[in-house]
Amino acid sequence: MDKCSLIDFLLLRPKSKDITLEVLQHMILQKRSNLIEIGNVFDHLNIVYKKHLNNHIMNTSPLPNDYMIVAESLQCKVVIEQLDVYMHVFVKLVDKLENTKDDKKFTVSILVEYIRSLTDNKITIEHFLYELLINCLVINKMYYQLHQMVQYHIVIDSKPLACLLLSLESLYSPAHQMALDMLHRLNTAHEEIVEVLLSKKQVIPSMRYMSKHNMLDHSTYRKLTEIAISTDNSKILHSTKEEFVQRKVTSNDELDTNTKG
């Protein structure tokens, strides 16, 4: 019996989740199947998973008819969700990679293939899968692949992932700019972008960004001037002062008083 038929059979049996996950573990951890067969198994699992989601969540995007015909023909008793695959297969796969220096490309390919299958089945991908993929890439110094996956949206933009990239800056310095670019693309993270810029004492770029998005007001005046003072750069302090004066957010006298204080 081929693996897809075996998986379909197991999904029809009640209380077969553990056995199904064991089969998946065996296929992947022991490398008993190639990537094409593993991808097909992921698709079979996720067709059923999508049907389960459609039955329980309102306003989800329905699958194409040919997918739903397959799903409905299987009166499945078991659903393998993202957390199941993550906990029982992927975490062990990454641990195995770290402990044995196993084929890192194979590990990344498996993670990407599962994400591909979820995407094809119109299933929203959980953050922890992206986090595992990014950490796996960074740990194995696969920085070019990380850039490619972010650039071509294999990894979908989000605030949590941008924060993860920021946390990886000490391991991979371009991660800071990648995170900033991701926040820009989201176009809903104005405050986060300002905080990232100010954390690097980039006062002028912060001020320009805040000006563009109408974020400069009296409440931001003290924070920006304090950071400008901390740079020990008179030009930055002067530019900050002039910006606020021109906008009539504060007066020269008030800013001079705060600067001296």
Side-chain angles (χ1 to χ4, degrees), residues 9-33:
F9 171 74
L10 289 172
L11 294 178
L12 292 169
R13 296 181 60 193
K15 300 181 181 180
S16 65
K17 176 176 281 192
D18 289 345
I19 299 174
T20 305
L21 289 169
E22 284 178 13
V23 171
L24 200 57
Q25 284 179 11
H26 186 72
M27 289 176 62
I28 295 173
L29 299 182
Q30 304 302 322
K31 293 187 178 179
R32 297 303 174 91
S33 300

Side-chain angles (χ1 to χ4, degrees), residues 37-95:
E37 185 174 38
I38 292 169
N40 288 336
V41 167
F42 285 156
D43 287 339
H44 279 239
L45 293 173
N46 288 328
I47 287 171
V48 175
Y49 181 25
K50 178 62 177 183
K51 181 188 176 186
H52 168 75
L53 293 175
N54 277 347
N55 288 340
H56 290 83
I57 301 175
M58 299 296 292
N59 301 321
T60 54
S61 301
L63 284 169
N65 288 335
D66 55 343
Y67 275 78
M68 290 310 298
I69 289 170
V70 173
E72 289 171 3
S73 68
L74 300 172
Q75 300 301 315
C76 296
K77 307 297 183 183
V78 170
V79 175
I80 305 298
E81 301 182 73
Q82 294 178 62
L83 187 59
D84 298 320
V85 181
Y86 172 81
M87 293 294 296
H88 295 277
V89 180
F90 292 155
V91 170
K92 293 181 179 181
L93 180 64
V94 173
D95 287 344

Side-chain angles (χ1 to χ4, degrees), residues 210-223:
M210 295 172 78
S211 176
K212 179 180 178 181
H213 295 280
N214 298 316
M215 297 171 68
L216 287 176
D217 56 29
H218 202 84
S219 64
T220 60
Y221 153 68
R222 181 176 293 277
K223 183 173 185 177

Side-chain angles (χ1 to χ4, degrees), residues 227-246:
I227 295 174
I229 292 168
S230 72
T231 65
D232 291 324
N233 187 315
S234 59
K235 291 182 179 179
I236 291 176
L237 181 58
H238 176 74
S239 297
T240 305
K241 171 182 175 180
E242 287 301 310
E243 179 68 27
F244 278 99
V245 170
Q246 288 176 16

